[in-house]
Amino acid sequence: MEERKVRVAITHGDTNGIGYEIILKAFEDPMMFDLCTPIVYGNPKVATYHRNAMKLNTQFSIISKAEDARDGRLNLLATFDDEVKVELGTPTPESAGAAQKALQRAKEDLKQSLYDVLVQAPVVSSNTPDREDRSLLVMFADDIRIALVTNRLPLKEVAQSISQEKIIEKATLFHTSLKRDFRINNPRIAVLALNPQPGTEESEIIKPAIEALEKNSIQAYGPFTADDFFGQQMQYGFDGILAMYDDQGNVPFKTLATEFGVKMKTGFPFVITTPDHGPAFDIAGKDEADPASLRHAIYAAIDIFRNREAYDDPKKNPLPKLYHEKREDGEKVRFISKKTTEKTTEQE
């Protein structure tokens, strides 16, 4: 029986950036349609403008709802009818608003399970800190995976935002993601220190959090100072690295993952990925954007979706117990009556 294609929603991103360029270039390769059924959430007029500006040949079919998407073609779902002025290379409130409209429609359809995974084309990162975000940002490429305890916080606020509870929460999410999304059976997580030299945060917050994780059967190690850890290339001895703040994770990740970096937010019941780069306004409209990172964001979303299916499927119909148990004297024993046991002893 042929496995059905994963339905991949792709939002068009900031309409003055490289979003449409990398989408159209990614699906120049007909083999992409063997992997998935793409649904681009965007605007047909804007898509046509980008295609004509760079003389791209990728064709797309306009649809009005996700249910109309068909295999073997690039489906473009018209998310809004407003006229959008395209100013390639210049971020504007209008271009950011167009990105938000596409994302909003995609989220509404996701709630109705009209597609399987969501891939977001690049947008300008929000400056709003994720102080109460219950999800976890994970960056990955090849054999390196880095997650962040805090995200988009000013450096002066990082120390006061770190707590034992938060580190335990984020490390537990990371552990689950490594097992479920990446199919690593018994992941080893390196936890980075906050300070370049051991201080109060390390002794009173990070180290106790690591000890608590170990008691919960999570293999967490550290805290490691970032310069020693990456300077000695210790990252290759671990399945995941938990950094305390943006630069501590982003700088080494972008240095080590020079190509095909992908970001995702885990902790949600659905898969969301995005390329590890922004809208690249400096090259927008110049036919210079490389679609490789978007392709890898699509590949990763499909792989994670399949991995979750394989991980969750055995738990849907667990094997029944072969015998009943009851608790006696604080221990689990087979359900055998006391009289039966005494009778058997007398016969012996």
Side-chain angles (χ1 to χ4, degrees):
M1 182 178 176
E2 185 179 354
E3 194 175 55
R4 76 169 180 86
K5 291 183 175 65
V6 176
R7 292 166 70 88
V8 179
I10 306 168
T11 55
H12 63 183
D14 192 298
T15 52
N16 289 340
I18 61 171
Y20 273 113
E21 180 180 348
I22 59 177
I23 291 170
L24 294 170
K25 284 182 175 179
F27 287 94
E28 283 180 331
D29 184 355
M31 291 184 64
M32 292 294 292
F33 299 106
D34 295 333
L35 297 175
C36 66
T37 299
I39 309 170
V40 178
Y41 282 71
N43 181 283
K45 291 181 180 179
V46 176
T48 301
Y49 182 95
H50 280 259
R51 185 177 64 184
N52 293 341
M54 284 165 286
K55 298 180 174 60
L56 301 174
N57 297 317
T58 309
Q59 301 298 310
F60 53 81
S61 300
I62 301 171
I63 58 176
S64 58
K65 57 184 187 297
E67 297 95 315
D68 294 336
R70 296 292 178 266
D71 295 345
R73 68 188 191 189
L74 185 60
N75 302 277
L76 197 153
L77 194 156
T79 56
F80 55 91
D81 298 324
D82 306 347
E83 291 289 334
V84 178
K85 183 180 180 181
V86 179
E87 300 177 66
L88 289 171
T90 304
T92 65
E94 191 176 11
S95 66
Q100 187 59 38
K101 288 176 184 177
L103 180 58
Q104 184 59 40
R105 174 65 183 275
K107 287 181 175 179
E108 291 170 2
D109 285 359
L110 182 56
K111 292 176 182 178
Q112 299 179 55
S113 302
L114 298 181
Y115 57 84
D116 299 307
V117 300
L118 173 61
V119 177
Q120 295 178 259
V123 296
V124 177
S125 297
S126 169
N127 291 322
T128 304
D130 292 339
R131 287 184 175 87
E132 300 300 327
D133 194 351
R134 312 300 291 185
S135 63
L136 177 72
L137 178 65
V138 181
M139 303 172 286
F140 58 95
D142 298 324
D143 54 356
I144 184 169
R145 305 168 197 88
I146 301 180
L148 302 177
V149 173
T150 63
N151 191 16
R152 298 201 299 270
L153 282 181
L155 192 56
K156 65 180 180 180
E157 297 181 20
V158 170
Q160 66 190 45
S161 299
I162 290 174
S163 65
Q164 289 185 38
E165 293 76 17
K166 192 164 191 174
I167 293 172
I168 292 168
E169 174 194 338
K170 299 294 186 179
T172 302
L173 279 173
F174 199 16
H175 178 262
T176 301
S177 177
L178 291 169
K179 292 181 68 174
R180 187 169 179 244
D181 299 336
F182 298 95
R183 299 311 304 273
I184 299 171
N185 185 46
N186 194 18
R188 293 163 49 88
I189 298 174
V191 181
L192 299 185
L194 175 65
N195 301 297
Q197 296 293 331
T200 303
E201 289 83 8
E202 283 70 30
S203 62
E204 297 183 4
I205 297 175
I206 302 176
K207 191 171 181 179
I210 292 172
E211 293 170 352
L213 290 165
E214 291 172 348
K215 291 178 181 178
N216 291 334
S217 300
I218 294 176
Q219 291 197 73
Y221 302 86
F224 301 100
T225 57
D227 57 343
D228 284 343
F229 185 83
F230 293 108
Q232 298 177 31
Q233 298 189 341
M234 295 171 65
Q235 66 269 20
Y236 300 113
F238 296 89
D239 302 298
I241 302 158
L242 188 64
M244 294 295 117
Y245 56 94
D246 287 72
D247 285 355
Q248 191 182 55
N250 272 292
V251 173
F253 180 76
K254 291 181 183 297
T255 302
L256 295 167
T258 55
E259 295 180 317
F260 316 141
V262 177
K263 291 183 178 180
M264 81 163 180
K265 277 204 167 184
T266 190
F268 295 117
F270 32 79
V271 180
I272 303 175
T273 65
T274 186
D276 182 38
H277 60 71
F281 295 112
D282 57 323
I283 61 170
K286 298 179 181 179
D287 196 19
E288 296 177 6
D290 187 344
S293 285
L294 178 68
R295 282 202 189 102
H296 279 263
I298 294 170
Y299 299 154
I302 295 170
D303 287 344
I304 292 168
F305 178 77
R306 295 295 189 204
N307 286 344
R308 288 185 181 183
E309 281 191 326
Y311 184 86
D312 295 341
D313 190 57
K315 298 182 179 182
K316 293 177 182 176
N317 297 294
L319 292 173
K321 291 184 178 181
L322 299 180
Y323 58 84
H324 296 284
E325 294 179 338
K326 72 174 183 178
R327 186 174 295 275
E328 287 185 1
D329 300 326
E331 296 180 354
K332 288 185 177 179
V333 296
R334 297 196 181 199
F335 189 76
I336 304 174
S337 70
K338 187 175 181 181
K339 288 184 178 180
T340 304
T341 305
E342 292 173 349
K343 187 176 180 180
T344 303
T345 304
E346 289 174 358
Q347 288 176 349
E348 291 176 352

